[in-house]
Structures are given as structure tokens and as C-alpha cells.
Amino acid sequence: MEKEDLLKQKNYLSKDSAFSNLSKREIKHKIYFSINGEGYGHSSRSLAIAKQLNPEEVILGSYGYSLKRLEKTGLSTVELTPEISFVGKDGTFDVGLTLLKNSSWPVLINQIIKEEKKIIENFGVTCVVADSRTAPVFAAKKLGIPCILLTNQT
């Protein structure tokens, strides 16, 4: 069964429907992916999703080597401020040194939320996909924009 037939069957395209005058082309989106730049996992999964969408409707934001990787895709990109800096040696993670290095986080996170709000507003974003970042979630909430949070934390 065709999509349009299903929509008619569900009464989404009836004469009285608020959507009856809309065509597929009239509904435009701008999906903003705010991606944690630590490692390649976050950018890999977000990029896999973004590639399924219309390239004109996608903006990818990240930092560091993940941003450089995303820039090579030809999709629109924007550089973000990292929310946290991890500290470690030879592939290890040092919790104590990471906490010390990020002691100004309460002030920094408010600045990053403002940065995210500015990006959302400037690009006319209609949906935010936050991959392991908190600032875009708060920014989207403040602006009343839908937000999807991707994370590998349990």
C-alpha cells in the first residue's frame, strides 16, 4: 500500500485535516547534530544517520579530529567547544586530573549552552540530535525545539 493511501486511510489527508494542503516538499527540516569529539564512535554513528537524510537539511557540529573527519564528508559543519577535557596517559583515563582540569565547568557549560542556542537559531534548526553532549539538550529545551539524545552510557 502506498504511503499516501495509508495517510488517507488514517484520515491524515482528509479535507478537514490540517495537513491536507501540504505536500512533501513544503515540509523542510534542518537537523543539527551536536557530536562529542572524543574518539570516532560518536561521529561514526551520527554520520551514519546524517547520511540517510537530505544533505541540505543537515548540519554537523563537533571539535578536534572528529570535526576534521566530518568536514571531509561535504556536509555543512560547525566547530563546537568541548564540554569537558579528559586527562590521561598512554590511553588511560585519570578521573582526579580530569576533575581538576575541568573545575571551571559550571561557568563553561553556560557559555556552551549559549553557543549551542546561537547555532540553533542562526541555522533555523528544527530538530537537534545530541550525541553524548548536554549543552545542546538544554539549548533545544530553552528554544522549544525537539531533541534526540544519543549515548552509549547505561
Side-chain angles (χ1 to χ4, degrees):
M1 184 176 275
E2 294 286 325
K3 253 188 192 176
E4 194 167 307
D5 292 335
L6 283 171
L7 292 173
K8 282 180 184 174
Q9 187 179 30
K10 298 243 181 223
N11 201 29
Y12 292 127
L13 292 179
S14 71
K15 289 180 184 176
D16 299 329
S17 169
F19 302 106
S20 62
N21 294 327
L22 296 178
S23 71
K24 286 182 184 179
R25 294 284 106 210
E26 289 179 90
I27 300 173
K28 288 282 186 185
H29 290 285
K30 191 60 101 168
I31 312 299
Y32 167 50
F33 289 79
S34 181
I35 306 165
N36 182 314
E38 303 296 326
Y40 285 118
H42 306 290
S43 60
S44 293
R45 67 178 170 212
S46 289
L47 188 56
I49 297 167
K51 284 182 174 180
Q52 301 303 310
L53 304 171
N54 179 344
E56 295 174 6
E57 298 178 348
V58 173
I59 303 163
L60 303 172
S62 194
Y63 54 90
Y65 54 86
S66 290
L67 176 62
K68 292 192 185 334
R69 176 180 185 220
L70 296 172
E71 289 172 336
K72 293 176 183 177
T73 66
L75 296 168
S76 296
T77 59
V78 62
E79 185 171 6
L80 303 177
T81 302
E83 291 182 340
I84 189 167
S85 296
F86 295 99
V87 180
K89 266 188 177 174
D90 301 322
T92 64
F93 172 64
D94 189 314
V95 175
L97 289 177
T98 296
L99 289 172
L100 284 174
K101 184 171 183 173
N102 294 282
S103 61
S104 64
W105 186 83
V107 174
L108 179 65
I109 194 65
N110 284 318
Q111 293 169 339
I112 297 173
I113 292 169
K114 288 178 186 175
E115 175 186 289
E116 293 280 3
K117 279 180 64 181
K118 189 174 180 180
I119 292 167
I120 293 167
E121 291 171 326
N122 287 348
F123 287 99
V125 171
T126 59
C127 181
V128 173
V129 178
D131 194 326
S132 300
R133 286 179 55 87
T134 56
V137 176
F138 289 111
K141 174 70 175 166
K142 286 183 177 189
L143 294 170
I145 305 274
C147 182
I148 299 167
L149 176 63
L150 302 178
T151 183
N152 54 327
Q153 309 304 313
T154 55

